[in-house]
Amino acid sequence: MTASENIAYLLRRPQIRTTSVVFASPHSGRIYMPAFLRNVVLDHHEIRSSEDAFVDDLFSTAINHGAPLLTAQSPRAYVDLNRGPDELDPAVIEEVRRVGHNPRISSGLGVIPRVVSNGRAIYSGKLSLSEAHTRIAEVWRPYHDTLQMVLDEAHRTFGEAILIDCHSMPHEALENVGPPGAARPDVVLGDRFGAAAASSVVELVEAAFAGAGFKVARNMPFAGAYICQHYGRPARRYHALQIEINRSIYMDEKTIQPNSNYAAFKDVLDGIIAELADIGRNGDQKVAAE
């Protein structure tokens, strides 16, 4: 295995790449630079509330199954890698004009977030436009340049690329999913309602999680954001699928610490990862162009 590392990302590669599947975790970064922390009004625990804590570790065995794993290093509160570089929020960045309506920007969740979970403000004032551009240049672009590179490598080698975009979701995000009293999903798959991945890919991913005993939903309440929208081109055999896992399965959401089920869940997930990697082998037989 070789790895390349900087403040933007960590790329882990398998010794031998055997699958067209690429795993990525854009929201698990946890390098909170002192200069950033000095500029926020939240304490270190509060600033972590929007982080997909431990997702990079949970999916770390991907390289044992022949697939590369790309993970963020800088936190989502610093720059959100699942947003477009032009999703700038005029409420937190100077010299930016509001153009049209973007619900992510309006809620404070642009590429430079204004808030963390539960709408808590990160800053007391605004950031300069030059600061926003610096963060995008130093973190956002290197991550996405690398993601495009590993997807293109897969496409050249295997004739297709399948991106598994790995996330976690807070338990309360599922409160209004389904009828009252119904069991809430453990996993939500987002393919932008069929626009980002072939149905044959989504069905195989859903079967892997369901076969391990997890309740799976599609596109509600999370259908996939910028990454699925940008990289998912099923007609060209570039598939992108967002996976959201209920955090309460493996961690204490209040303390941001692994719970007693963490090791067992990671072991089960390793088996699922093996099945997902297998989707990217013999692609012409398993994944039809749709």
Side-chain angles (χ1 to χ4, degrees):
M1 180 190 73
T2 61
S4 55
E5 182 176 3
N6 53 39
I7 66 167
Y9 66 86
L10 176 64
L11 176 61
R12 298 181 177 95
R13 291 184 178 273
Q15 289 186 344
I16 301 175
R17 189 166 178 179
T18 61
T19 175
S20 64
V21 174
V22 173
F23 292 87
S25 174
H27 286 164
S28 58
R30 53 185 174 272
I31 297 179
Y32 290 85
M33 293 173 287
F36 170 59
L37 293 176
R38 286 194 297 269
N39 200 31
V40 307
V41 297
L42 302 174
D43 63 32
H44 188 64
H45 185 270
E46 292 169 331
I47 198 70
R48 292 190 66 196
S49 63
S50 62
E51 176 189 314
D52 284 353
F54 313 118
V55 168
D56 54 344
D57 179 66
L58 289 171
F59 283 87
S60 61
T61 60
I63 61 171
N64 299 333
H65 302 290
L69 172 65
L70 177 66
T71 59
Q73 293 283 77
S74 293
R76 180 185 188 183
Y78 184 73
V79 59
D80 193 334
L81 299 170
N82 201 18
R83 300 290 183 266
D86 59 345
E87 291 188 81
L88 297 170
D89 184 354
V92 77
I93 302 169
E94 297 173 344
E95 303 176 53
V96 172
R97 293 190 302 169
R98 188 174 300 278
V99 179
H101 176 68
N102 181 312
R104 295 192 289 253
I105 292 175
S106 297
S107 62
L109 298 174
V111 66
I112 307 296
R114 172 167 37 96
V115 301
V116 292
S117 297
N118 298 317
R120 290 171 292 184
I122 298 173
Y123 311 98
S124 60
K126 290 189 177 185
L127 303 174
S128 68
L129 184 58
S130 63
E131 168 66 17
H133 286 164
T134 296
R135 294 186 189 188
I136 291 168
E138 293 181 351
V139 177
W140 192 96
R141 294 202 181 280
Y143 180 91
H144 282 276
D145 287 348
T146 302
L147 180 55
Q148 187 69 68
M149 175 189 71
V150 292
L151 290 172
D152 288 345
E153 288 175 353
H155 199 273
R156 287 194 302 271
T157 303
F158 302 99
E160 68 182 8
I162 302 172
L163 171 61
I164 303 296
D165 196 45
C166 308
H167 297 257
S168 66
M169 54 188 174
H171 181 69
E172 60 266 21
L174 302 169
E175 290 178 355
N176 297 318
V177 177
R184 301 297 183 249
D186 303 304
V187 177
V188 175
L189 306 181
D191 66 351
R192 298 192 63 83
F193 300 94
S199 61
S200 51
V201 173
V202 183
E203 288 164 4
L204 289 167
V205 174
E206 182 172 5
F209 279 98
F214 296 106
K215 181 175 175 57
V216 184
R218 293 194 195 183
N219 293 309
M220 292 297 290
F222 304 106
Y226 173 83
I227 288 173
C228 282
Q229 181 179 8
H230 181 74
Y231 294 100
R233 296 289 184 269
R236 296 176 51 207
R237 299 180 68 85
Y238 281 85
H239 308 277
L241 182 64
Q242 178 175 286
I243 295 178
E244 295 273 3
I245 299 174
N246 188 338
R247 293 173 186 167
S248 66
I249 295 173
Y250 60 87
M251 66 177 276
D252 183 315
E253 296 180 75
K254 292 184 178 179
T255 63
I256 316 181
Q257 293 294 325
N259 64 22
S260 59
N261 191 49
Y262 187 90
F265 174 71
K266 184 176 179 180
D267 186 56
V268 172
L269 187 60
D270 180 53
I272 296 172
I273 291 168
E275 290 191 49
L276 301 188
D278 196 47
I279 296 170
R281 301 185 178 100
N282 302 316
D284 289 337
Q285 299 173 28
K286 291 190 175 183
V287 181
E290 299 184 357

